[in-house]
């Protein structure tokens, strides 16, 4: 690999390697491993590399990080994914392969406004719109854990962008303001002035407020049950059998 | 093996190794980051 002439010697560079050891002929598994190495060509200290979400967070649900795509390729960490799944990578059908956009859309799937309106969603012609996701789609903290120690864990609520927010809200046109309260946005510079991290109210414009999971709302008073009567509670009777 | 860098003032990577992928149905072309030299290690001693 030869870098293009004039490459930025002051920029942080990352080399990634991934590999497998195929032991299936011995009735064993494919062992997978990957690793990244950060450096600056001029010898200075690398800047913070992308670390919004740690691999261990995905592993809560995807224990071996083996996905339908790249299965058995040795790509098993988020640090590896983001090297290729960057904002300049696209599927030929126009779907962004950027890690945030792609991950959001895959887990939103059937709830994407475009899919609700009848459009298809997938990559390389494969349908990803019917995946069954196991968590609440408003619950950002499922992936954006603040306790896993990711250096940029707060970016999901401090770096609102048209790409990241628009990936789930795909009926919003920031160019025209359609489905955005008629407020066109030509850059990402103003988002945080209205979409603050947390506002005064739940379900407000703030990023936490807007994504309040209804069942976790602090406004829920809690449900109280009162036992009004017990049927068939006499000795020798079975209170579970409902007398019709 | 793959190599990428973070452009000045950026927080996301850009890859030095890209390829063009073409949609078989529509002929649309897109740029994708990729890796090169997908070698295999044959028998030998590794230290």
């Amino acid at each position: 690999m030869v870098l293009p002439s004039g490459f930025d010697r002051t920029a942080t560079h990352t080399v990634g390697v991934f590999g497998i050891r195929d032991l299936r002929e011995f009735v064993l598994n494919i062992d997978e491993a990957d690793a990244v190495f950060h450096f600056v060509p001029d010898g200075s200290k690398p800047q913070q590399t992308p670390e919004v979400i740690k691999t261990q967070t995905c592993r809560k649900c995807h224990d071996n990080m083996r996905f339908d795509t790249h299965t058995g390729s040795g790509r098993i960490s988020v640090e590896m994914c983001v090297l290729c799944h960057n904002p300049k990578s696209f599927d030929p059908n126009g779907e962004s392969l950027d890690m945030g956009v792609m991950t959001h859309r895959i887990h939103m799937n059937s709830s994407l406004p475009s899919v609700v309106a009848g459009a298809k969603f997938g990559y390389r012609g494969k349908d990803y719109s019917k995946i069954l996701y196991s968590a609440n789609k408003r619950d950002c903290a499922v992936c954006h854990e603040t306790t896993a120690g990711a250096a940029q864990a707060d970016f999901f609520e401090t770096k609102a962008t048209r790409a990241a927010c628009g990936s789930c809200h795909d009926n919003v046109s920031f160019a025209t303001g359609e489905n955005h309260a008629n407020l066109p946005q030509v850059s990402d510079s103003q988002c945080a002035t209205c979409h603050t991290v947390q506002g005064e109210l739940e379900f407000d414009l703030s990023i936490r407020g807007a994504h309040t999971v209804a069942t976790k709302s602090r406004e829920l008073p809690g449900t109280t049950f009162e036992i009004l009567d017990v049927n068939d509670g006499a000795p020798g009777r079975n209170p579970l059998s409902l007398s019709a | 093996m793959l190599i990428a860098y973070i452009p000045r003032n950026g927080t996301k990577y850009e890859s030095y190794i890209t390829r063009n992928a073409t949609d078989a149905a529509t002929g649309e072309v897109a740029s994708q980051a990729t890796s090169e030299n997908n070698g295999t290690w044959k028998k030998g001693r590794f230290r």
Side-chain angles (χ1 to χ4, degrees), chain A residues 127-142:
Chain A
D127 187 0
Y128 272 73
S129 66
K130 294 185 184 68
I131 282 177
L132 291 176
Y133 180 43
S134 44
N136 188 305
K137 288 169 178 169
R138 289 176 180 230
D139 200 345
C140 315
V142 163

Side-chain angles (χ1 to χ4, degrees), chain A:
Chain A
M1 169 82 224
V2 180
L3 297 189
S5 63
F7 69 93
D8 188 349
R9 299 188 151 271
T10 65
T12 294
H13 284 62
T14 300
V15 173
V17 286
F18 49 88
I20 63 165
R21 189 167 60 158
D22 188 348
L23 298 175
R24 283 175 300 179
E25 66 175 295
F26 308 110
V27 204
L28 293 165
N29 290 323
I30 297 180
D31 292 336
E32 302 185 71
D34 65 25
V36 292
F37 174 70
H38 312 298
F39 67 100
V40 180
D42 72 5
S44 49
K45 191 172 166 284
Q47 74 170 75
Q48 177 62 54
T49 52
E51 194 184 89
V52 177
I53 294 178
K54 293 243 188 197
T55 305
Q56 69 190 65
T57 297
C58 311
R59 280 183 178 270
K60 288 188 299 184
C61 299
H62 300 285
D63 56 348
N64 55 14
M65 292 296 277
R66 220 171 247 189
F67 301 102
D68 290 350
T69 308
H70 318 312
T71 314
S73 70
R75 306 171 197 187
I76 51 169
S77 70
V78 174
E79 297 88 309
M80 184 62 52
C81 311
V82 296
L83 285 171
C84 292
H85 287 274
N86 62 47
K88 292 217 164 153
S89 274
F90 286 86
D91 194 65
N93 65 8
E95 273 292 337
S96 168
L97 293 170
D98 171 64
M99 193 63 188
V101 174
M102 180 182 83
T103 309
H104 288 161
R105 290 175 67 70
I106 287 176
H107 295 86
M108 238 336 233
N109 53 73
S110 59
S111 306
L112 288 167
S114 63
V115 172
V116 171
K120 291 191 172 140
F121 162 59
Y123 305 88
R124 286 190 290 175
K126 206 179 136 203
D127 187 0
Y128 272 73
S129 66
K130 294 185 184 68
I131 282 177
L132 291 176
Y133 180 43
S134 44
N136 188 305
K137 288 169 178 169
R138 289 176 180 230
D139 200 345
C140 315
V142 163
C143 287
H144 295 288
E145 290 185 301
T146 47
T147 49
Q152 301 166 335
D154 62 335
F155 275 21
F156 82 103
E157 46 189 15
T158 57
K159 294 234 186 283
T161 59
R162 289 162 296 170
C165 308
S167 60
C168 287
H169 294 274
D170 68 359
N171 60 346
V172 170
S173 166
F174 292 110
T176 64
E178 186 190 352
N179 291 322
H180 189 243
N182 286 318
L183 294 164
Q185 300 297 313
V186 293
S187 78
D188 295 328
S189 63
Q190 298 302 313
C191 312
T193 52
C194 296
H195 302 289
T196 54
V197 172
Q198 184 158 28
E200 302 269 293
L201 301 168
E202 289 184 324
F203 306 101
D204 64 5
L205 281 185
S206 74
I207 293 167
R208 286 192 197 171
H211 301 106
T212 303
V213 177
T215 50
K216 292 186 187 167
S217 168
R218 18 179 186 88
E219 279 157 27
L220 267 190
T223 311
T224 316
F225 291 97
E226 197 182 337
I227 297 171
L228 297 173
D229 194 9
V230 178
N231 288 324
D232 289 332
R237 303 285 295 172
N238 183 351
L240 288 178
S241 65
L242 289 174
S243 36

